[in-house]
């Protein structure tokens, strides 16, 4: 379990579905000075629960505190500090129609994606991959003058 | 049974066995007050400020161990209550505060007296609820009381929109609570307890480090039994005063910033800290890297997040102090108490070398003398509350506390203005006990309107104002660390405290000599009226020993031994 200081970590938090629960979780991070790199939340199908995925960073000691403090929140069922996980992130990128579309399509397919929408002036590409590869994809996409990039934040599942 | 939301609130309070509610009405909570008027299952005390109402409920809770209840209206009523919530939160006091809110349809519109109460109180409550439907109200009330008193206790806010208090629906107060995501751990891990016991048996210089959790867990008798059986010496935090009892030969005293020499040296030299319900607060540890440097640490705490938060722990035990000690004590039948003889001898010598002392005077009342005097005259019969400052530390150092819940003060938040309303709450819970608020000339003014409350309800608490004409604790830091620049701490301009008390229906005493002190206290105890004892003390007395903030515990500024009568 030895992690170097300020390592990136992904935490899954399973919570009761209630209106203020996300505020409780984010306020805890803000109030205690923990970082949030990305955060996603969605209901868990056929249940009264939601799954929050938080990418954060901190030393082992800080991570331990984050986990314990999250656990103390009344509507929190479970906190999983991921060790062995499959982690994915999605990104949507808008390109001008004038760019080389076949190059863009080829780039996207390298990163498990493709062009998902074509308009008069633009095309929209979608890619879902590991966060590190998403970063590479965005760097590569810069060449085609993207007009808008929207990242989705990570979701993770323990293996 | 069909009833309004307001009636449900009253029924829940009655069902929880609450005898006294402290509060202040206003628009959003008026329907509930209308029901309070009609019922006779509990009494309501009208404090004269919402902060005081919450502190009074808090004092009631600390004195009894039961959940204190306060009620306030929306907007300013609620914001006034926030300091009270935060005070209770920092000391883990079980409390339910019920606040009115604007009607559901107005929420989010910046309506009159609308404020986001759950948003504001999130970091200073254990949990909070904004009630959204009448159907959920009974369950929410039941859960609020349950959450407040279970696990690591704390204050819970229930914010109720006005229309929900008007609506009529079915009421059945739930018998039990099931919150699948909230299951506090009470039983300590058996294996861990066994390991801790082995560590105790092989230690040479073990030390019991007792915190407020012992009081909250009602574990003082077990702690005394553990100490007695093992002959291990003990130190108490500010929140644990009274746990061991002042006469207990195994008690070294209070540790920390204003701890006594023997306690702080014991912590610095121990080879095994047995921490029970304490949380390694910075006012206790001083410089962390020097704290208990030579020790392994056993940490028993009901809150897992406290364990390993500040110091690395060798034997973590998550659980309730009572349940852990019930398992631990029988395993110590064969402990060899002689092992610790040499250690206790060392500590005894430390105490002889630098006892908790002060230089008394015949000319002027020393604050420490006044506190000891109360101890001599009333002792274990009194409940002592206090405000925040030098007087608080002297009370903690010098009063002969004999039992838990005898000492009520704001430790974690350090809230000036806490003492008087908390005394009102404690006195309401135990009318037969003498309740004394040891306070300062600064602090008492922060909730002095409570004179009116105490006078109206004939709650005869005694406020002993140790009047040094200073914000003394801040003045002391200015003396030591700011080259005596007394920026905004001189309280030479004073109200006439005696007249002030009398103007509000109480009694005032001006006290300048020891004889007057005795006479005033004797009289005050007999009265059925609230009083101010305005006790003139010397102005420049310092609280010592003192560990400068951030310094190591063993680097104490000690009292000077000058001429005069050494006590
Ligand atoms: C509400 C609040 N404001 C400010 C402080 C900071 N503070 C701590 S002790 C103190 C002085 C208290 O003066 P007094 O009540 O006269 O007590 P003394 O120290 O003189 O005994 C102050 C201002 C505080 N603890 N609480
Ligand atoms: Mg003062």
């Amino acid at each position: 379990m030895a992690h170097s200081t300020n390592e990136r970590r992904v935490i899954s938090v399973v919570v009761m579905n209630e209106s203020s629960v996300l505020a409780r979780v984010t306020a805890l991070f803000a109030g205690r000075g923990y970082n949030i790199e990305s955060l996603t939340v969605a209901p868990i199908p056929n249940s009264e629960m939601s799954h929050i995925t938080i990418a954060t960073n901190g030393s082992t000691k800080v991570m331990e505190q984050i986990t314990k403090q999250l656990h103390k929140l009344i509507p929190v069922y479970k906190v999983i500090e991921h060790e062995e996980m499959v982690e994915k992130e999605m990104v949507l990128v808008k390109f001008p129609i004038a760019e080389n579309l076949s190059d863009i399509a080829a780039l996207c397919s390298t990163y498990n994606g493709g062009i998902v929408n074509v308009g008069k002036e633009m095309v929209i590409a979608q890619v879902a991959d590991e966060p590190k590869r998403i970063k590479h994809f965005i760097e590569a996409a810069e060449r085609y003058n993207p007009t808008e990039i929207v990242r989705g934040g990570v979701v993770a599942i323990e293996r | 049974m069909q009833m309004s939301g307001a009636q449900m609130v009253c029924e829940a309070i009655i069902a929880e066995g609450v005898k006294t509610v402290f509060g202040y009405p206003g628009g959003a909570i008026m329907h509930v007050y209308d029901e309070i008027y009609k019922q006779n299952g509990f009494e309501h005390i009208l404090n004269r400020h919402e902060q005081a109402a919450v502190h009074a409920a808090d004092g009631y809770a600390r004195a009894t161990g039961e959940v204190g209840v306060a009620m306030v209206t929306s907007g300013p009523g609620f914001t006034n209550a926030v300091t009270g919530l935060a005070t209770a939160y920092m000391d883990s006091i079980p409390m339910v505060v019920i606040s009115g809110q604007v009607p559901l349809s107005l929420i989010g519109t910046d309506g009159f007296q609308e404020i986001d109460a759950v948003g504001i109180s999130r970091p200073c409550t254990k949990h909070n609820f904004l009630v959204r439907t009448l159907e959920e109200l009974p369950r929410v009330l039941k859960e609020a009381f349950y959450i407040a008193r279970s696990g690591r206790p704390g204050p819970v806010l229930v914010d109720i929109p006005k229309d929900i208090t008007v609506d009529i629906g079915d009421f059945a107060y739930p018998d039990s609570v099931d919150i699948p995501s909230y299951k506090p751990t009470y039983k300590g891990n058996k294996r861990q307890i066994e390991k801790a016991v082995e560590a105790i048996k092989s230690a040479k210089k073990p030390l019991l480090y007792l915190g407020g959790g012992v009081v909250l867990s009602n574990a003082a008798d077990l702690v005394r039994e553990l100490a007695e059986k093992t002959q291990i010496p003990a130190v108490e935090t500010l929140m644990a005063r009274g746990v061991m009892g002042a006469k207990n030969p195994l008690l070294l005293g209070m540790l920390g910033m204003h701890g006594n020499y023997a306690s702080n040296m014991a912590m610095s030299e121990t080879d095994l800290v047995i921490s029970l319900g304490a949380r390694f607060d910075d006012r206790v540890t001083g410089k962390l890297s020097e704290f208990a440097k030579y020790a392994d640490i056993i940490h028993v705490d009901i809150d897992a997040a406290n364990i390993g938060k500040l110091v690395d722990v060798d034997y973590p035990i998550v659980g309730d102090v009572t349940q852990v000690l019930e398992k631990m004590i029988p395993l110590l039948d064969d402990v060899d108490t002689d092992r610790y003889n040499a250690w206790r001898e060392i500590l005894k010598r430390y105490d002889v070398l630098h006892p908790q002392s002060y230089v008394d005077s015949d000319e002027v009342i020393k604050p420490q003398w006044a506190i000891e005097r109360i101890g001599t005259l009333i002792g274990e019969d009194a409940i002592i509350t206090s405000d925040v400052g030098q007087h608080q530390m002297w009370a903690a150092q010098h009063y002969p506390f004999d039992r838990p819940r005898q000492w009520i003060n704001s430790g974690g938040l350090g809230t000036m203005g806490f003492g008087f309303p908390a005394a009102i709450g404690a006195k309401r819970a135990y009318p037969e006990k003498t309740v004394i608020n040891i306070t300062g000339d600064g602090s008492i003014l922060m909730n002095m309107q409570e004179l009116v409350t105490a006078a109206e309800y004939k709650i005869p608490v005694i406020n002993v104002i140790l009047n040094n004409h200073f914000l003394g604790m801040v003045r002391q830091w200015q003396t030591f660390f700011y080259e005596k620049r007394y920026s905004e701490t001189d309280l030479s301009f004073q109200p006439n405290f005696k007249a002030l008390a009398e103007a509000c229906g109480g009694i005032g005493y001006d006290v300048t000599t020891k004889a007057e002190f005795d006479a005033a206290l004797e009289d005050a105890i007999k009265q059925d009226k609230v009083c101010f004892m305005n006790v003139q003390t010397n102005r420049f007395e310092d609280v010592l020993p003192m560990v400068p903030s951030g310094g190591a515990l063993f680097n104490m500024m000690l009292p000077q031994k000058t001429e005069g009568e050494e006590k």
Side-chain angles (χ1 to χ4, degrees):
Chain A
M1 253 279 296
H3 298 296
S4 60
T5 47
N6 273 356
E7 194 173 319
R8 178 175 178 281
R9 306 287 297 159
V10 178
I11 302 173
S12 282
V13 191
V14 178
V15 299
M16 220 143 78
N17 255 343
E18 53 165 52
S19 57
S20 58
V21 66
L22 187 60
R24 288 182 204 282
V25 169
T26 54
L28 190 150
F29 275 74
R32 291 188 181 261
Y34 309 140
N35 287 327
I36 295 181
E37 183 190 291
S38 86
L39 182 148
T40 61
V41 53
I44 296 173
N46 307 320
S47 82
E48 309 260 271
M49 294 177 275
S50 281
H51 190 122
I52 301 175
T53 314
I54 303 169
T56 176
N57 53 62
S59 62
T60 310
K61 209 170 167 140
V62 168
M63 293 313 303
E64 192 185 316
Q65 264 300 302
I66 292 179
T67 314
K68 285 175 169 175
Q69 293 293 347
L70 282 169
H71 237 302
K72 270 174 75 171
L73 297 176
I74 306 289
V76 168
Y77 283 96
K78 205 159 58 165
V79 185
I80 307 152
E81 201 189 329
H82 289 294
E83 293 281 333
E84 289 273 314
M85 62 179 159
V86 172
E87 190 190 357
K88 292 286 178 198
E89 180 172 1
M90 193 182 91
V91 64
L92 295 173
V93 186
K94 203 185 272 178
F95 297 100
I97 196 98
E99 295 294 327
N100 185 331
L101 296 188
S102 54
D103 277 11
I104 290 174
L107 174 67
C108 291
S109 70
T110 316
Y111 288 94
N112 296 320
I115 289 173
V116 292
N117 193 293
V118 184
K120 245 200 210 148
E121 316 253 287
M122 51 84 203
V123 297
I124 296 171
Q126 170 210 302
V127 159
D129 211 325
E130 282 151 32
K132 219 186 271 159
R133 283 174 51 84
I134 292 290
K135 195 168 150 258
H136 294 157
F137 167 75
I138 290 170
E139 279 163 15
E142 290 293 341
R143 229 179 315 150
Y144 306 101
N145 303 309
T147 55
E148 205 177 334
I149 302 174
V150 179
R151 289 180 75 157
V154 299
V155 290
I157 202 161
E158 193 72 4
R159 293 183 46 197
Chain B
M1 205 173 138
Q2 291 273 306
M3 62 177 75
S4 70
Q7 270 175 297
M8 293 181 190
V9 171
C10 292
E11 288 299 324
I13 289 170
I14 293 165
E16 292 291 343
V18 178
K19 295 280 171 285
T20 307
V21 171
F22 303 87
Y24 209 97
I29 193 85
M30 274 188 71
H31 281 279
V32 180
Y33 272 87
D34 193 43
E35 291 305 325
I36 289 177
Y37 186 87
K38 296 178 200 159
Q39 61 80 46
N40 48 27
F42 59 88
E43 66 162 353
H44 179 278
I45 304 276
L46 179 70
N47 291 86
R48 289 334 197 241
H49 191 296
E50 288 88 351
Q51 183 193 348
V54 181
H55 287 330
D58 181 329
Y60 186 95
R62 290 185 204 233
T64 59
E66 287 156 27
V67 180
V69 179
M71 199 174 286
V72 300
T73 192
S74 69
F78 165 74
T79 54
N80 273 349
V82 170
T83 302
L85 285 169
T87 302
Y89 180 69
M90 290 295 280
D91 290 340
S92 309
I93 304 305
M95 211 161 67
V96 170
V97 175
I98 293 164
S99 55
Q101 181 55 280
V102 299
L104 282 167
S105 59
L106 278 180
I107 288 181
T109 66
D110 304 315
F112 177 64
Q113 297 195 326
E114 182 192 358
I115 198 79
D116 176 9
V118 289
I120 289 176
S121 63
R122 199 172 289 126
C124 58
T125 50
K126 179 173 175 186
H127 193 55
N128 59 21
F129 297 91
L130 169 61
V131 180
R132 286 170 185 277
T133 62
L134 183 64
E135 291 68 55
E136 70 175 3
L137 182 60
R139 176 184 58 79
V140 164
L141 290 165
K142 180 77 186 178
E143 288 183 2
F145 278 91
Y146 173 74
I147 292 169
R149 67 163 77 89
S150 58
R152 179 181 182 177
V156 177
L157 177 81
V158 182
D159 197 34
I160 312 178
K162 185 171 185 174
D163 42 352
I164 291 181
T165 65
V166 185
D167 291 349
I168 294 192
D170 262 332
F171 178 77
Y173 199 58
D175 300 322
S176 62
V177 172
D178 180 34
I179 311 170
S181 59
Y182 174 67
K183 304 280 178 209
T185 311
Y186 293 100
K187 283 193 188 126
N189 179 293
K190 189 162 164 276
R191 237 351 251 126
Q192 287 296 103
I193 294 173
E194 285 164 3
K195 279 197 220 162
V197 165
E198 286 318 306
I200 292 171
K201 286 178 184 166
S202 56
K204 288 207 179 85
K205 302 174 170 182
L207 182 67
L208 291 167
Y209 162 40
L210 310 174
V214 175
V215 179
L216 296 168
S217 167
N218 296 317
D221 285 343
L222 285 167
V223 167
R224 289 183 193 197
E225 188 185 335
L226 173 70
E228 176 63 26
K229 185 172 198 173
T230 58
Q231 291 296 303
I232 295 175
V235 294
E236 292 172 346
T237 67
L238 176 67
M239 299 311 292
R241 299 302 270 156
V243 165
M244 289 289 284
K247 290 187 228 63
N248 196 317
L250 289 164
L251 175 67
L252 298 170
M254 179 172 76
L255 85 163
M257 180 174 273
H258 294 298
N260 62 334
Y261 185 77
S263 296
N264 284 347
M265 290 311 288
M267 189 51 93
S268 302
E269 296 182 0
T270 173
D271 65 359
L272 181 70
V273 175
I274 306 158
S275 171
L276 303 174
R279 60 182 176 86
F280 300 81
D281 181 89
D282 55 276
R283 285 291 190 268
V284 164
T285 61
K287 190 176 185 178
L288 266 180
S289 58
E290 298 294 327
F291 177 79
K293 206 174 177 175
Y294 307 106
D296 280 350
I297 295 178
I298 299 170
H299 190 172
V300 181
D301 202 307
I302 197 156
D303 180 357
N306 270 346
I307 297 180
K309 180 174 68 178
L310 292 154
V311 299
D312 291 331
V313 171
D314 305 274
Y315 306 94
I317 301 174
V318 181
D320 173 38
V321 176
T322 295
Q323 298 206 12
V324 171
L325 290 188
E326 277 170 353
K327 280 192 208 148
M328 188 182 272
I329 290 171
L331 301 178
L332 283 159
D333 282 342
D334 58 343
V335 70
D336 172 20
T337 60
D338 288 344
R339 283 185 72 81
Y340 320 132
N341 285 351
W343 169 231
R344 283 196 311 274
E345 281 310 310
I346 295 172
L347 297 174
K348 214 174 275 168
R349 259 180 277 141
Y350 282 151
D351 203 43
V352 172
L353 190 64
H354 296 291
Q356 182 77 62
S357 70
Y358 67 96
V359 181
D360 201 7
S361 160
D362 290 332
E363 277 86 63
V364 62
I365 294 178
K366 287 291 187 91
Q368 302 95 324
W369 176 86
I371 287 158
E372 283 181 357
R373 193 69 189 152
I374 300 170
T376 309
L377 294 179
I378 316 175
E380 51 190 282
D381 289 338
I383 293 175
I384 305 292
T385 71
S386 97
D387 272 301
V388 174
Q390 293 185 306
H391 60 273
Q392 173 194 28
M393 291 300 125
W394 284 317
Q397 290 176 333
H398 293 276
Y399 197 90
F401 296 108
D402 227 53
R403 56 187 163 83
R405 302 193 184 279
Q406 187 185 10
W407 165 237
I408 292 174
N409 82 131
S410 164
L413 199 68
T415 308
M416 289 172 69
F418 171 79
F420 188 8
I424 289 175
K427 180 75 181 176
R428 205 58 175 181
Y430 294 107
E432 73 290 354
K433 285 212 155 60
T434 302
V435 179
I436 300 184
N437 175 32
I438 294 176
T439 180
D441 48 324
S443 295
I444 190 63
L445 295 183
M446 284 206 179
N447 265 320
M448 67 177 185
Q449 79 286 344
E450 292 311 299
L451 274 168
V452 182
T453 312
E456 179 188 351
Y457 293 93
K458 297 199 168 45
I459 306 176
V461 305
I462 301 171
N463 291 280
V464 176
I465 304 169
L466 297 176
N467 192 339
N468 51 13
H469 293 237
F470 265 124
L471 295 173
M473 185 56 95
V474 184
R475 191 281 307 153
Q476 175 172 341
W477 284 51
Q478 289 169 334
T479 302
F480 290 164
F481 313 120
Y482 293 87
E483 299 174 321
K484 304 191 179 174
R485 288 185 298 278
Y486 297 128
S487 176
E488 305 299 322
T489 47
D490 190 321
L491 297 185
S492 293
F493 186 89
Q494 297 242 325
N496 180 335
F497 281 110
K498 181 172 186 288
L500 186 58
E502 286 165 356
C504 297
I507 305 173
Y509 304 91
D510 278 321
V511 173
T512 52
T513 67
K514 289 180 176 175
E516 284 169 1
F517 187 92
D518 282 6
L521 188 59
E522 226 169 87
D523 189 64
I525 293 167
K526 279 186 275 176
Q527 300 288 347
D528 62 350
K529 281 185 181 170
V530 59
C531 78
F532 273 4
M533 265 175 68
N534 178 25
V535 182
Q536 300 299 328
T537 67
N538 59 324
R539 291 197 79 193
F540 285 93
E541 191 75 10
D542 294 319
V543 182
L544 293 172
M546 177 174 188
V547 178
S549 170
L553 272 192
F554 50 81
N555 282 329
M556 282 163 273
M557 302 160 85
L558 292 161
Q560 244 146 36
K561 295 182 179 170
T562 46
E563 72 295 344
E565 187 190 342
E566 183 84 28
K567 291 271 297 202

